[in-house]
Amino acid sequence: MVTASAKAHRSAPVPKVRQTQLLIDGKWVDAKSGKTFATYNPATETKIADVAEGDAADIERAVKAARKAFESGDWPKLDARDRGRLLHRLADLVEQNLEELAGLETLDNGKPIRDARAADLPLVIDCLRYYAGWADKLHGDTIPIRGNHFCYTRREPVGVAGQIIPWNFPLLMAAWKWGPALAAGCTVVMKPAEQTPLTCLRLGELAIEAGFPKGVINLVPGYGPTAGAALVRHPDVDKIAFTGEYRTAQIIMTEAAPTLKRLTFELGGKSPNIIFADCDLDAAVAGTEFGLFFNQGQCCCAGSRVFVEEKIHEAFVEKLVKRARARRLGDPFDSNTTQGPQVDQAQFDKILSYIDKGVGEGAQCLTGGKRWGKRGFFIEPTVFDGVTDSMSIAQEEIFGPVLSILPFRKTEEVIERANRTTYGLAAAVWTRDVAKAHQVAHSVRAGTVWINCYDVFDAAAPFGGFKMSGIGRELGEAGLANYTELKTVTMKLS
Ligand code: ADP
């Protein structure tokens, strides 16, 4: 599955694919239609496996199982503490199978094994453990109201949660969504992305091994407009949690209107990364490289608009280009590789077309700009300088290894330009001036602001978007809010 030369350096084994079916009501089954779809290795463009292709009929079965599990059976009878124990057990099993899961993620998504091992998997484990701890801490309040009454609130699970996830962090997105849902006592029907279904299915096997009752977690791989849309429309689904493109979220919002579902969205971004002249230059350059090129640029919070104060522009650009050129592309199973392929042909083509647009609109391509190698969806790390705010590469989400540098002079100016976007997911600021750092952090309309760092994620820290980057928050205590309904109970005391 990998090239001969890549084989020579391989430091991680390619894992066996163990599960390709749907998980419904605790059983692994084929799609009702009998259909399957292929999932590919983006490093070699070869087929890895055929996976059961769920559609509306399978969503129907999965929702029925999730509804039943929510209302009767073992799940609603479980103590909150025991729900936490199951999540802990799942986290332990992920930890015990870390190498296999990291390998499977690398195989299906193309991300370097070193990133899967050092970032994705530890964050998955942490997220499951964090929410395991919350399961028995979902408190209500007692409220003094008028008259002789006893009034209190309860946090009850919202019900059946439909969860639709993307392909850039397949396993991590599953953990972000299962963690709070299961801690709150919901049941789940998840549709993994069609490009990367494999790790989610393996996680499903581990969930069964951990002891989650049947019907609590149901998995229906398939396509968005079929399986995804059926989940969104289903009247027995109480909530949809979606991560993906804002255009898909717009469709989901419309489709969810007839049943007034609760919706949480984590969408795209065009995040400003602001570099002031008084920063620690080497740290800012390293953070900028990481903030854009990590995960092949396939991060919703990628720092794709790099605003650099004019005074340090030349020095910054020189160092950044050097770092971009030093990135190691190649077999993602080689632990020296720092950049793998893009996930599929469609993303690869889209990114190359943005590079063409950048050149066409007059930006200066300092390095990269082309396909790398002859096989696999690899794109050279690409840096554009002289980018202006109105160019498409400064406006639209590219979701690839393409970085744009935009020079600026004044703090007020850069804040205004940073906010001149429909997105508002993340931002970063690099400076030694503490007051300036917080001024920028408070003025930029984004759900997350990093100061002198980038892409620092933690299960306890909420993440989500302002404006068209999303609705609601994931992670932290905030991430639980959308998986619970608040109930007010009032009793007359005499
Ligand atoms: P991307 O372009 O990054 O793949 P998408 O928003 O298209 O982002 O996909 C994210 C997830 O949403 C995937 O699981 C995909 O199958 C799903 N999806 C796509 N279209 C729809 C739809 N109309 N309804 C529900 N889910 C969808």
Side-chain angles (χ1 to χ4, degrees):
M1 253 175 239
V2 288
T3 59
S5 64
K7 246 180 203 159
H9 307 108
R10 183 188 296 158
S11 45
V14 178
K16 248 176 61 187
V17 175
R18 301 154 71 122
Q19 190 48 258
T20 56
Q21 288 181 296
L22 319 179
L23 176 61
I24 297 180
D25 208 16
K27 292 191 199 73
W28 294 98
V29 295
D30 288 331
K32 236 177 172 172
S33 66
K35 282 204 248 172
T36 58
F37 66 101
T39 184
Y40 292 89
N41 176 346
T44 60
E45 304 176 45
T46 53
K47 183 164 94 176
I48 306 168
D50 288 308
V51 175
E53 182 191 328
D55 60 22
D58 305 294
I59 290 290
E60 186 60 43
R61 293 194 284 172
V63 172
K64 206 165 166 192
R67 190 87 240 161
K68 193 163 156 225
F70 179 69
E71 284 169 7
S72 56
D74 293 337
W75 186 241
K77 283 191 220 125
L78 265 192
D79 251 21
R81 213 147 290 189
D82 291 331
R83 290 203 304 271
R85 282 176 60 179
L86 286 174
L87 276 166
H88 270 303
R89 223 177 280 157
L90 178 58
D92 292 346
L93 286 171
V94 172
E95 198 164 43
Q96 285 159 28
N97 292 278
L98 189 146
E99 273 302 307
E100 182 207 339
L101 286 162
L104 207 52
E105 201 76 310
T106 291
L107 183 65
D108 211 11
N109 167 280
K111 65 180 67 204
I113 188 74
R114 61 192 281 162
D115 291 350
R117 281 178 181 147
D120 298 63
L121 267 295
L123 287 168
V124 167
I125 294 162
D126 221 40
C127 179
L128 295 172
R129 292 202 173 123
Y130 174 80
Y131 281 110
W134 265 113
D136 59 357
K137 293 168 195 71
L138 288 164
H139 298 169
D141 295 312
T142 55
I143 304 173
I145 64 168
R146 272 182 211 284
N148 197 13
H149 295 103
F150 169 44
C151 178
Y152 64 96
T153 55
R154 286 163 52 78
R155 290 221 156 260
E156 297 186 359
V158 74
V160 174
Q163 305 184 320
I164 301 174
I165 56 170
W167 46 261
N168 56 344
F169 294 92
L171 202 53
L172 186 58
M173 292 301 101
W176 280 23
K177 291 194 167 39
W178 290 12
L182 299 172
C186 295
T187 57
V188 163
V189 178
M190 172 166 277
K191 193 202 84 60
E194 54 273 29
Q195 296 88 343
T196 54
L198 297 179
T199 44
C200 182
L201 299 180
R202 182 72 185 112
L203 192 65
E205 284 190 322
L206 296 178
I208 297 206
E209 194 179 331
F212 279 93
K214 64 178 186 175
V216 172
I217 297 168
N218 303 275
L219 306 175
V220 185
Y223 291 97
T226 50
L231 188 57
V232 172
R233 288 191 204 120
H234 203 293
D236 263 343
V237 173
D238 299 283
K239 173 212 163 57
I240 292 287
F242 166 77
T243 300
E245 281 193 49
Y246 80 87
R247 288 183 197 85
T248 313
Q250 289 170 328
I251 297 171
I252 290 176
M253 206 171 216
T254 308
E255 300 268 21
T259 48
L260 287 180
K261 283 191 177 56
R262 282 94 188 94
L263 296 174
T264 42
F265 291 152
E266 199 261 277
L267 311 174
K270 195 72 199 172
S271 299
N273 180 18
I274 303 170
I275 323 287
F276 284 101
D278 62 358
C279 69
D280 172 340
L281 188 59
D282 287 332
V285 170
T288 299
E289 180 206 343
F290 178 62
L292 186 285
F293 293 113
F294 174 62
N295 211 40
Q296 294 65 247
Q298 301 168 144
C299 295
C300 44
C301 54
S304 51
R305 288 187 297 151
V306 180
F307 290 97
V308 182
E309 194 169 345
E310 263 183 11
K311 281 183 253 176
I312 56 159
H313 175 256
E314 208 172 308
F316 181 89
V317 167
E318 193 187 315
K319 282 176 185 274
L320 183 70
V321 167
K322 210 164 158 194
R323 283 191 78 104
R325 287 190 181 137
R327 291 184 68 75
R328 282 165 173 262
L329 279 74
D331 175 12
F333 279 94
D334 182 333
S335 55
N336 292 320
T337 295
T338 57
Q339 187 169 315
Q342 310 309 128
V343 78
D344 65 7
Q345 183 81 51
Q347 292 295 321
F348 176 83
D349 291 343
K350 180 177 138 191
I351 296 160
L352 288 179
S353 82
Y354 271 114
I355 292 174
D356 283 348
K357 271 192 207 170
V359 173
E361 289 176 4
Q364 198 189 343
C365 184
L366 299 181
T367 188
K370 294 190 302 295
R371 170 179 212 154
W372 181 88
K374 291 197 170 61
R375 200 163 167 236
F377 306 116
F378 294 90
I379 294 181
E380 292 174 346
T382 301
V383 176
F384 276 108
D385 195 12
V387 178
T388 60
D389 295 339
S390 60
M391 289 181 185
S392 18
I393 54 170
Q395 292 277 322
E396 294 164 33
E397 189 176 35
I398 301 174
F399 228 64
V402 181
L403 184 149
S404 293
I405 296 176
L406 303 95
F408 74 92
R409 286 204 180 130
K410 296 212 163 71
T411 307
E412 293 69 26
E413 169 209 333
V414 77
I415 290 170
E416 192 272 320
R417 290 173 61 195
N419 283 332
R420 215 188 291 154
T421 166
T422 51
Y423 291 114
L425 190 59
V429 51
W430 300 81
T431 175
R432 287 194 172 93
D433 180 335
V434 177
K436 189 159 66 184
H438 290 286
Q439 182 199 350
V440 174
H442 296 191
S443 308
V444 172
R445 297 196 35 83
T448 291
V449 181
W450 289 293
I451 299 175
N452 294 335
C453 56
Y454 210 100
D455 272 349
V456 176
F457 278 91
D458 192 288
F463 183 75
F466 282 30
K467 302 198 273 184
M468 286 182 75
S469 287
I471 296 178
R473 294 291 177 270
E474 295 193 285
L475 302 181
E477 188 177 355
L480 284 161
N482 300 294
Y483 287 97
T484 60
E485 290 282 13
L486 192 62
K487 179 178 279 178
T488 305
V489 182
T490 305
M491 184 172 85
K492 194 170 167 69
L493 284 180
S494 62

